[in-house]
Amino acid sequence: WPTWTVSTYFLFFINLIFFNFIMLAILFSSCEEEEIVNQSTVNARVQIIHNSADIAAQSVDVYLNNELLLDNFSFRTSTPFVDIPANEDITISIAPSTSMSASQGIVSYNYLLEENKKYIIIASGHLSPVGYTPLKNFSLEVFDMGRENANNASNTDLIVFHGSTDAPTVDVVETGVGAGTIVNNASYKDFTNYLELTTANYTLEVRDESGETTVASYDAPLSNLNLMGGAGVVLASGFLNPSKNNNGDGFGLFVALPSGGDLVALPNSN
């Protein structure tokens, strides 16, 4: 047997301690990575769109449970799709833009989101108790089959939301390429199903529910906007009669893209 000196024993124990330290570090790192993976997979994807034309709601704070999610969230803007905890109760609160905590929320809504589903949540209606005709209570409208991309990479997938509080039930008729009625009898707070459209430039006429009277006409230049393979939400937004609604923003069609940011205004058709 070899003769070990004191220095040999010392080096042996140092190496043994170092080896055990490395193994423990690997073990804890593995557990930490597993925990992160587990946390990141228990989520839903959520896009929030601000379409409340109430002047009192031009800019609001949005809280997720007790944490500030969106600071000074402005009318006609949207978030990108973000991860929100799923399979657990959550509370979304709307507060004034000057708020300091969720306790200052004006309205709150409770949700239980499903893992891996995609949600579109649209702020609509009025926080103010007076000054709007007709007066529609503020609400968060939820669509639970959202898309971040088109099902077919050659198309553009669009869902339509009627978010104009003083607009009647309407049809949307495409007249540019002759597609005809693409939205039939949509009333306030209605979502359509997704329209899977060839990525082209379209002309959209908003008509009353009889389909005979045109309220407004817009260009929808999907090709010019390079939306092939993408998805989005088309919103009827603002007031047909601003003078009866606190002189708020006028009616228009706007598109929220999955990347978020300012809503894209569709131009009036000549």
Side-chain angles (χ1 to χ4, degrees):
W1 295 94
T3 302
W4 285 21
T5 65
V6 173
S7 62
T8 304
Y9 277 107
F10 179 75
L11 289 173
F12 172 77
F13 282 113
I14 289 296
N15 288 332
L16 183 61
I17 292 170
F18 181 73
F19 174 78
N20 288 334
F21 176 79
I22 293 297
M23 293 305 293
L24 285 171
I26 292 172
L27 177 62
F28 282 121
S29 175
S30 175
C31 291
E32 190 175 76
E33 288 179 5
E34 182 178 353
E35 182 179 352
I36 290 172
V37 169
N38 287 341
Q39 289 176 349
S40 66
T41 55
V42 187
N43 286 317
R45 297 282 286 168
V46 177
Q47 180 178 41
I48 303 175
I49 303 171
H50 187 337
N51 193 49
S52 169
D54 186 347
I55 292 175
Q58 285 287 304
S59 180
V60 296
D61 292 344
V62 181
Y63 290 85
L64 175 61
N65 297 327
N66 291 317
E67 299 296 326
L68 182 64
L69 179 66
L70 300 169
D71 188 28
N72 298 332
F73 187 40
S74 297
F75 175 52
R76 288 179 177 164
T77 65
S78 71
T79 69
F81 277 87
V82 296
D83 290 334
I84 298 291
N87 300 342
E88 63 181 73
D89 293 326
I90 63 169
T91 300
I92 294 178
S93 302
I94 309 298
S97 60
T98 56
S99 72
M100 300 301 292
S101 72
S103 64
Q104 295 175 279
I106 303 168
V107 288
S108 296
Y109 304 87
N110 298 318
Y111 300 101
L112 180 63
L113 306 181
E114 294 184 35
E115 183 178 352
N116 296 327
K117 291 193 75 169
K118 296 180 189 292
Y119 294 84
I120 296 167
I121 300 178
I122 302 178
S124 193
H126 308 121
L127 288 173
S128 301
V130 295
Y132 295 92
T133 304
L135 185 67
K136 301 288 187 180
N137 290 335
F138 184 89
S139 62
L140 295 183
E141 300 303 317
V142 180
F143 183 79
D144 65 358
M145 294 182 289
R147 298 180 188 176
E148 295 185 61
N149 299 290
N151 281 343
N152 183 323
S154 297
N155 289 344
T156 303
D157 292 358
L158 297 176
I159 188 172
V160 180
F161 175 76
H162 186 327
S164 174
T165 54
D166 70 336
T169 298
V170 297
D171 295 343
V172 178
V173 181
E174 199 292 315
T175 60
V177 299
T181 301
I182 57 175
V183 175
N184 187 45
N185 292 345
S187 298
Y188 175 61
K189 298 199 297 189
D190 280 350
F191 287 95
T192 67
N193 294 319
Y194 271 96
L195 307 170
E196 299 184 356
L197 304 171
T198 301
T199 305
N201 295 331
Y202 297 94
T203 300
L204 305 178
E205 290 189 359
V206 180
R207 300 181 182 178
D208 66 5
E209 61 183 314
S210 72
E212 300 298 324
T213 302
T214 298
V215 177
S217 182
Y218 299 91
D219 292 327
L222 306 185
S223 179
N224 292 352
L225 292 172
N226 298 315
L227 295 182
M228 181 180 290
V233 183
V234 178
L235 302 103
S237 178
F239 303 110
L240 282 178
N241 193 340
S243 65
K244 292 185 177 181
N245 290 279
N246 261 337
N247 293 313
D249 291 274
F251 181 89
L253 295 185
F254 292 78
V255 181
L257 300 176
S259 56
D262 292 339
L263 303 191
V264 179
L266 296 184
N268 290 100
S269 180
N270 295 324

Coordinates of all heavy atoms in Angstrom, one line a residue, residues 171-242:
D171 N -74.1 44.8 -41.1 CA -73.4 43.9 -42.0 C -72.1 44.5 -42.5 O -72.0 45.7 -42.5 CB -74.3 43.6 -43.2 CG -75.6 42.8 -42.8 OD1 -75.7 42.3 -41.7 OD2 -76.5 42.9 -43.7
V172 N -71.2 43.7 -42.9 CA -70.0 44.1 -43.6 C -69.9 43.4 -44.9 O -69.9 42.2 -45.0 CB -68.7 43.9 -42.8 CG1 -67.5 44.3 -43.6 CG2 -68.7 44.6 -41.4
V173 N -69.9 44.2 -46.0 CA -70.0 43.7 -47.3 C -68.7 44.1 -48.1 O -68.3 45.2 -48.1 CB -71.2 44.2 -48.1 CG1 -71.3 43.6 -49.5 CG2 -72.5 43.9 -47.3
E174 N -68.0 43.1 -48.6 CA -66.8 43.3 -49.4 C -67.2 43.6 -50.8 O -67.8 42.7 -51.5 CB -65.9 42.1 -49.3 CG -64.4 42.4 -49.6 CD -64.2 42.7 -51.1 OE1 -64.8 42.0 -51.9 OE2 -63.5 43.7 -51.4
T175 N -66.8 44.7 -51.3 CA -67.2 45.1 -52.7 C -66.0 45.3 -53.7 O -66.2 45.4 -54.9 CB -67.9 46.5 -52.7 OG1 -67.1 47.5 -52.1 CG2 -69.2 46.4 -51.9
G176 N -64.8 45.2 -53.2 CA -63.6 45.3 -54.0 C -63.4 44.2 -54.9 O -63.2 44.4 -56.2
V177 N -63.3 43.0 -54.4 CA -63.1 41.8 -55.2 C -64.4 41.0 -55.4 O -64.4 39.9 -55.9 CB -62.0 40.9 -54.6 CG1 -60.7 41.6 -54.6 CG2 -62.4 40.3 -53.2
G178 N -65.5 41.5 -54.8 CA -66.8 40.8 -55.0 C -67.0 39.7 -54.0 O -67.8 38.8 -54.3
A179 N -66.4 39.7 -52.8 CA -66.6 38.6 -51.9 C -68.0 38.6 -51.3 O -68.5 37.6 -50.7 CB -65.5 38.7 -50.8
G180 N -68.7 39.8 -51.3 CA -70.0 39.8 -50.8 C -70.1 40.0 -49.3 O -69.1 40.5 -48.7
T181 N -71.2 39.6 -48.6 CA -71.4 39.8 -47.2 C -70.4 38.8 -46.4 O -70.5 37.6 -46.5 CB -72.8 39.5 -46.8 OG1 -73.7 40.4 -47.5 CG2 -73.0 39.7 -45.3
I182 N -69.5 39.5 -45.7 CA -68.6 38.6 -44.9 C -68.9 38.7 -43.4 O -68.4 37.9 -42.6 CB -67.1 39.1 -45.1 CG1 -66.9 40.6 -44.8 CG2 -66.7 38.8 -46.6 CD1 -65.5 41.0 -44.9
V183 N -69.7 39.7 -43.0 CA -70.2 39.8 -41.6 C -71.7 40.0 -41.7 O -72.1 41.0 -42.3 CB -69.5 40.9 -40.8 CG1 -70.1 41.0 -39.4 CG2 -68.0 40.6 -40.7
N184 N -72.5 39.2 -41.0 CA -73.9 39.4 -41.1 C -74.5 39.6 -39.7 O -74.4 38.8 -38.8 CB -74.6 38.1 -41.7 CG -76.0 38.3 -42.0 OD1 -76.5 39.3 -42.6 ND2 -76.8 37.3 -41.7
N185 N -75.2 40.7 -39.6 CA -76.0 41.1 -38.4 C -75.2 41.0 -37.1 O -75.5 40.3 -36.2 CB -77.2 40.1 -38.3 CG -78.3 40.4 -39.3 OD1 -78.2 41.4 -40.0 ND2 -79.2 39.4 -39.5
A186 N -74.1 41.7 -37.1 CA -73.2 41.8 -35.9 C -73.7 43.0 -35.1 O -73.9 44.1 -35.5 CB -71.8 42.1 -36.3
S187 N -74.0 42.7 -33.8 CA -74.5 43.7 -32.8 C -73.3 44.0 -31.9 O -72.3 43.3 -31.8 CB -75.7 43.1 -32.0 OG -76.8 42.9 -32.9
Y188 N -73.6 45.1 -31.1 CA -72.5 45.5 -30.1 C -72.1 44.3 -29.2 O -72.9 43.6 -28.7 CB -73.1 46.6 -29.3 CG -72.2 47.1 -28.2 CD1 -70.9 47.6 -28.5 CD2 -72.6 47.0 -26.8 CE1 -70.1 48.0 -27.4 CE2 -71.7 47.4 -25.8 CZ -70.5 47.9 -26.1 OH -69.6 48.3 -25.1
K189 N -70.8 44.2 -29.1 CA -70.1 43.2 -28.3 C -70.0 41.8 -29.0 O -69.5 40.9 -28.4 CB -70.6 43.1 -26.9 CG -70.5 44.3 -26.1 CD -70.5 44.1 -24.6 CE -71.9 43.6 -24.1 NZ -72.0 43.5 -22.6
D190 N -70.5 41.7 -30.2 CA -70.4 40.4 -31.0 C -69.0 40.2 -31.5 O -68.4 41.2 -32.0 CB -71.4 40.4 -32.1 CG -72.8 40.1 -31.7 OD1 -73.0 39.7 -30.5 OD2 -73.7 40.2 -32.5
F191 N -68.5 39.0 -31.4 CA -67.3 38.5 -32.2 C -67.8 37.7 -33.3 O -68.8 36.9 -33.2 CB -66.4 37.6 -31.3 CG -65.6 38.3 -30.3 CD1 -66.1 38.4 -29.0 CD2 -64.4 38.9 -30.6 CE1 -65.4 39.0 -28.0 CE2 -63.6 39.5 -29.6 CZ -64.1 39.6 -28.3
T192 N -67.2 37.8 -34.5 CA -67.4 36.8 -35.6 C -66.5 35.7 -35.4 O -65.6 35.7 -34.5 CB -67.1 37.4 -36.9 OG1 -65.7 37.7 -37.1 CG2 -67.9 38.7 -37.2
N193 N -66.6 34.6 -36.2 CA -65.6 33.6 -36.3 C -64.4 34.2 -37.1 O -64.6 35.3 -37.8 CB -66.1 32.3 -36.9 CG -67.1 31.7 -36.0 OD1 -67.0 31.6 -34.8 ND2 -68.2 31.2 -36.6
Y194 N -63.3 33.5 -37.2 CA -62.2 34.0 -38.0 C -62.6 33.9 -39.5 O -63.1 32.9 -39.9 CB -60.9 33.2 -37.7 CG -60.1 33.8 -36.6 CD1 -60.2 33.3 -35.3 CD2 -59.2 34.9 -36.9 CE1 -59.5 33.9 -34.3 CE2 -58.5 35.4 -35.8 CZ -58.6 34.9 -34.6 OH -57.9 35.5 -33.5
L195 N -62.3 35.0 -40.2 CA -62.4 35.0 -41.7 C -61.0 34.6 -42.2 O -60.0 35.4 -42.0 CB -62.8 36.4 -42.2 CG -64.1 36.9 -41.6 CD1 -64.2 38.4 -42.0 CD2 -65.3 36.1 -42.0
E196 N -60.9 33.5 -42.9 CA -59.6 33.1 -43.5 C -59.5 33.6 -44.9 O -60.1 33.0 -45.9 CB -59.4 31.6 -43.4 CG -59.5 31.1 -42.0 CD -59.2 29.6 -41.8 OE1 -59.1 28.9 -42.9 OE2 -59.2 29.1 -40.7
L197 N -58.9 34.8 -45.1 CA -58.9 35.6 -46.3 C -57.6 35.4 -47.1 O -56.5 35.4 -46.5 CB -59.1 37.0 -46.0 CG -60.4 37.4 -45.2 CD1 -60.4 38.8 -44.8 CD2 -61.6 37.0 -46.0
T198 N -57.7 35.3 -48.4 CA -56.6 35.5 -49.3 C -56.0 36.9 -49.0 O -56.7 37.9 -49.0 CB -57.0 35.3 -50.8 OG1 -57.5 34.0 -51.0 CG2 -55.7 35.5 -51.7
T199 N -54.7 36.9 -48.9 CA -54.0 38.2 -48.6 C -54.0 39.1 -49.8 O -53.2 39.0 -50.7 CB -52.6 38.0 -48.1 OG1 -52.6 37.1 -47.0 CG2 -52.0 39.3 -47.6
A200 N -55.1 39.9 -49.9 CA -55.3 40.9 -51.0 C -55.7 42.2 -50.4 O -55.8 42.4 -49.2 CB -56.3 40.3 -52.0
N201 N -56.0 43.2 -51.3 CA -56.6 44.5 -50.9 C -58.1 44.4 -51.1 O -58.6 44.1 -52.2 CB -55.9 45.6 -51.6 CG -54.4 45.7 -51.3 OD1 -54.0 45.4 -50.3 ND2 -53.7 46.2 -52.3
Y202 N -58.8 44.8 -50.0 CA -60.3 44.7 -50.1 C -60.9 46.0 -49.8 O -60.3 47.0 -49.3 CB -60.8 43.7 -49.0 CG -60.3 42.3 -49.2 CD1 -59.1 41.8 -48.6 CD2 -61.0 41.4 -50.0 CE1 -58.7 40.5 -48.7 CE2 -60.6 40.1 -50.2 CZ -59.4 39.6 -49.5 OH -59.0 38.4 -49.7
T203 N -62.2 46.1 -50.2 CA -63.0 47.3 -49.8 C -64.2 46.8 -49.0 O -64.9 45.9 -49.4 CB -63.5 48.0 -51.1 OG1 -62.4 48.5 -51.9 CG2 -64.4 49.2 -50.7
L204 N -64.4 47.4 -47.8 CA -65.4 47.0 -46.9 C -66.4 48.0 -46.7 O -66.1 49.2 -46.3 CB -64.7 46.6 -45.5 CG -63.6 45.6 -45.5 CD1 -63.0 45.4 -44.1 CD2 -64.0 44.3 -46.1
E205 N -67.7 47.7 -46.9 CA -68.8 48.6 -46.6 C -69.5 48.2 -45.4 O -69.9 47.0 -45.3 CB -69.7 48.6 -47.8 CG -69.2 49.3 -49.1 CD -70.2 49.5 -50.2 OE1 -71.4 49.1 -49.9 OE2 -69.9 50.1 -51.2
V206 N -69.6 49.1 -44.4 CA -70.4 48.8 -43.2 C -71.8 49.3 -43.5 O -72.0 50.4 -43.8 CB -69.8 49.6 -42.0 CG1 -70.6 49.3 -40.8 CG2 -68.4 49.2 -41.8
R207 N -72.8 48.3 -43.5 CA -74.1 48.6 -43.8 C -75.1 48.3 -42.6 O -74.7 47.6 -41.7 CB -74.6 47.8 -45.0 CG -73.8 48.1 -46.3 CD -74.3 47.2 -47.4 NE -73.5 47.4 -48.7 CZ -73.7 46.8 -49.8 NH1 -74.7 45.9 -49.9 NH2 -72.9 47.0 -50.9
D208 N -76.3 48.9 -42.7 CA -77.2 48.5 -41.6 C -77.6 47.1 -41.8 O -77.3 46.4 -42.8 CB -78.4 49.5 -41.6 CG -79.3 49.4 -42.9 OD1 -79.0 48.5 -43.8 OD2 -80.2 50.2 -43.1
E209 N -78.4 46.5 -40.9 CA -78.7 45.1 -40.9 C -79.5 44.7 -42.1 O -79.6 43.5 -42.4 CB -79.3 44.6 -39.6 CG -80.6 45.2 -39.3 CD -81.2 44.8 -37.9 OE1 -81.1 43.5 -37.7 OE2 -81.6 45.6 -37.1
S210 N -80.2 45.6 -42.7 CA -80.9 45.3 -44.0 C -80.0 45.0 -45.1 O -80.4 44.4 -46.1 CB -81.9 46.4 -44.3 OG -81.2 47.5 -44.8
G211 N -78.8 45.5 -45.0 CA -77.8 45.4 -46.1 C -78.0 46.4 -47.2 O -77.3 46.4 -48.2
E212 N -78.9 47.3 -47.0 CA -79.2 48.3 -48.1 C -78.6 49.6 -47.9 O -78.2 50.3 -48.9 CB -80.8 48.5 -48.1 CG -81.5 47.2 -48.4 CD -81.2 46.6 -49.8 OE1 -80.9 47.4 -50.7 OE2 -81.1 45.3 -49.9
T213 N -78.4 50.1 -46.7 CA -77.8 51.4 -46.4 C -76.4 51.3 -45.9 O -76.1 50.7 -44.9 CB -78.7 52.1 -45.3 OG1 -80.0 52.2 -45.8 CG2 -78.2 53.5 -45.1
T214 N -75.5 52.0 -46.6 CA -74.1 52.0 -46.3 C -73.8 53.1 -45.3 O -74.1 54.3 -45.5 CB -73.2 52.2 -47.5 OG1 -73.4 51.1 -48.4 CG2 -71.7 52.3 -47.2
V215 N -73.2 52.7 -44.1 CA -72.9 53.6 -43.0 C -71.5 54.3 -43.3 O -71.3 55.5 -43.1 CB -72.9 52.9 -41.7 CG1 -72.4 53.8 -40.6 CG2 -74.3 52.3 -41.4
A216 N -70.6 53.4 -43.7 CA -69.2 53.9 -44.0 C -68.5 52.9 -44.9 O -68.9 51.7 -44.9 CB -68.4 54.2 -42.8
S217 N -67.5 53.3 -45.6 CA -66.7 52.4 -46.5 C -65.2 52.5 -46.2 O -64.7 53.7 -46.0 CB -67.1 52.7 -47.9 OG -66.4 51.8 -48.8
Y218 N -64.5 51.4 -46.2 CA -63.1 51.4 -45.8 C -62.3 50.5 -46.7 O -62.8 49.5 -47.2 CB -62.9 50.9 -44.3 CG -63.6 51.8 -43.3 CD1 -64.9 51.5 -43.0 CD2 -63.0 52.9 -42.8 CE1 -65.6 52.3 -42.0 CE2 -63.7 53.7 -41.8 CZ -65.0 53.4 -41.5 OH -65.7 54.1 -40.6
D219 N -61.0 50.9 -46.9 CA -60.1 50.0 -47.6 C -59.4 49.1 -46.6 O -59.1 49.6 -45.5 CB -59.0 50.9 -48.3 CG -59.6 51.6 -49.5 OD1 -60.5 51.1 -50.2 OD2 -59.1 52.8 -49.8
A220 N -59.2 47.9 -46.9 CA -58.5 46.9 -46.1 C -57.4 46.4 -46.9 O -57.5 45.3 -47.4 CB -59.5 45.8 -45.6
P221 N -56.2 47.1 -46.9 CA -55.1 46.7 -47.8 C -54.2 45.6 -47.1 O -53.1 45.9 -46.8 CB -54.4 48.0 -48.0 CG -54.6 48.8 -46.7 CD -56.0 48.4 -46.2
L222 N -54.7 44.4 -47.0 CA -54.0 43.4 -46.4 C -52.7 43.1 -47.0 O -51.7 42.8 -46.4 CB -54.9 42.1 -46.3 CG -56.3 42.2 -45.7 CD1 -56.9 40.8 -45.6 CD2 -56.2 42.9 -44.3
S223 N -52.7 43.1 -48.4 CA -51.5 42.9 -49.1 C -50.5 44.0 -48.9 O -49.3 43.8 -48.6 CB -51.8 42.7 -50.6 OG -50.6 42.5 -51.3
N224 N -50.9 45.3 -49.0 CA -50.0 46.4 -48.8 C -49.4 46.4 -47.4 O -48.3 46.9 -47.2 CB -50.8 47.7 -49.1 CG -51.1 47.9 -50.5 OD1 -50.7 47.1 -51.4 ND2 -51.9 48.9 -50.8
L225 N -50.2 45.9 -46.4 CA -49.7 45.9 -45.0 C -48.9 44.7 -44.7 O -48.4 44.5 -43.6 CB -50.9 45.9 -44.1 CG -51.8 47.2 -44.1 CD1 -53.0 47.0 -43.2 CD2 -50.9 48.4 -43.5
N226 N -48.6 43.9 -45.7 CA -47.7 42.7 -45.6 C -48.2 41.7 -44.5 O -47.5 41.3 -43.6 CB -46.3 43.1 -45.3 CG -45.7 43.9 -46.4 OD1 -45.8 43.6 -47.6 ND2 -45.0 45.0 -46.0
L227 N -49.5 41.5 -44.5 CA -50.1 40.6 -43.5 C -50.3 39.2 -43.9 O -50.9 38.4 -43.2 CB -51.5 41.2 -43.1 CG -51.5 42.6 -42.5 CD1 -52.9 43.0 -42.1 CD2 -50.6 42.6 -41.2
M228 N -49.6 38.7 -44.9 CA -49.7 37.3 -45.3 C -49.1 36.5 -44.2 O -48.1 36.7 -43.7 CB -48.9 37.1 -46.6 CG -49.0 35.6 -47.1 SD -48.0 35.3 -48.6 CE -49.1 36.2 -49.8
G229 N -49.9 35.4 -43.9 CA -49.5 34.5 -42.8 C -49.8 35.0 -41.4 O -49.6 34.3 -40.4
G230 N -50.4 36.2 -41.3 CA -50.6 36.8 -40.0 C -52.1 36.7 -39.6 O -53.0 36.2 -40.4
A231 N -52.4 37.2 -38.5 CA -53.8 37.2 -38.0 C -54.0 38.6 -37.3 O -53.1 39.3 -37.1 CB -54.0 36.1 -36.9
G232 N -55.3 38.9 -37.0 CA -55.6 40.2 -36.4 C -57.0 40.3 -36.0 O -57.8 39.4 -36.3
V233 N -57.3 41.3 -35.3 CA -58.7 41.6 -34.9 C -59.1 43.0 -35.5 O -58.4 44.0 -35.3 CB -58.8 41.8 -33.3 CG1 -60.2 42.0 -32.9 CG2 -58.2 40.5 -32.6
V234 N -60.2 42.9 -36.2 CA -60.8 44.2 -36.8 C -61.9 44.6 -35.8 O -62.8 43.9 -35.5 CB -61.4 43.9 -38.2 CG1 -62.0 45.2 -38.7 CG2 -60.3 43.4 -39.1
L235 N -61.7 45.9 -35.4 CA -62.7 46.4 -34.4 C -63.4 47.6 -34.9 O -62.9 48.5 -35.5 CB -61.9 46.9 -33.1 CG -61.1 45.9 -32.4 CD1 -59.6 46.1 -32.7 CD2 -61.3 45.9 -30.9
A236 N -64.8 47.6 -34.8 CA -65.6 48.8 -34.9 C -65.4 49.6 -33.7 O -65.6 49.1 -32.5 CB -67.0 48.4 -35.1
S237 N -64.9 50.8 -33.8 CA -64.4 51.6 -32.7 C -64.9 53.1 -32.8 O -65.0 53.6 -33.9 CB -62.9 51.6 -32.6 OG -62.4 52.4 -31.6
G238 N -65.2 53.7 -31.6 CA -65.6 55.1 -31.6 C -67.1 55.2 -31.8 O -67.9 54.3 -31.8
F239 N -67.5 56.5 -32.0 CA -68.9 56.9 -32.0 C -69.4 57.3 -33.4 O -68.7 58.1 -34.1 CB -69.2 58.0 -31.0 CG -68.8 57.6 -29.6 CD1 -67.7 58.2 -29.0 CD2 -69.5 56.7 -28.9 CE1 -67.3 58.0 -27.8 CE2 -69.1 56.4 -27.6 CZ -68.0 57.0 -27.0
L240 N -70.6 56.8 -33.8 CA -71.2 57.3 -35.0 C -71.6 58.8 -34.8 O -71.6 59.6 -35.8 CB -72.4 56.5 -35.4 CG -72.1 55.1 -36.1 CD1 -73.4 54.4 -36.4 CD2 -71.3 55.4 -37.5
N241 N -72.1 59.1 -33.6 CA -72.5 60.5 -33.3 C -71.8 61.0 -32.1 O -72.2 61.0 -30.9 CB -74.0 60.4 -33.0 CG -74.6 61.8 -33.0 OD1 -73.9 62.8 -32.8 ND2 -76.0 61.9 -33.1
P242 N -70.6 61.5 -32.3 CA -69.7 62.0 -31.2 C -70.4 63.1 -30.4 O -70.2 63.2 -29.2 CB -68.5 62.6 -31.9 CG -68.4 61.8 -33.2 CD -69.8 61.6 -33.6

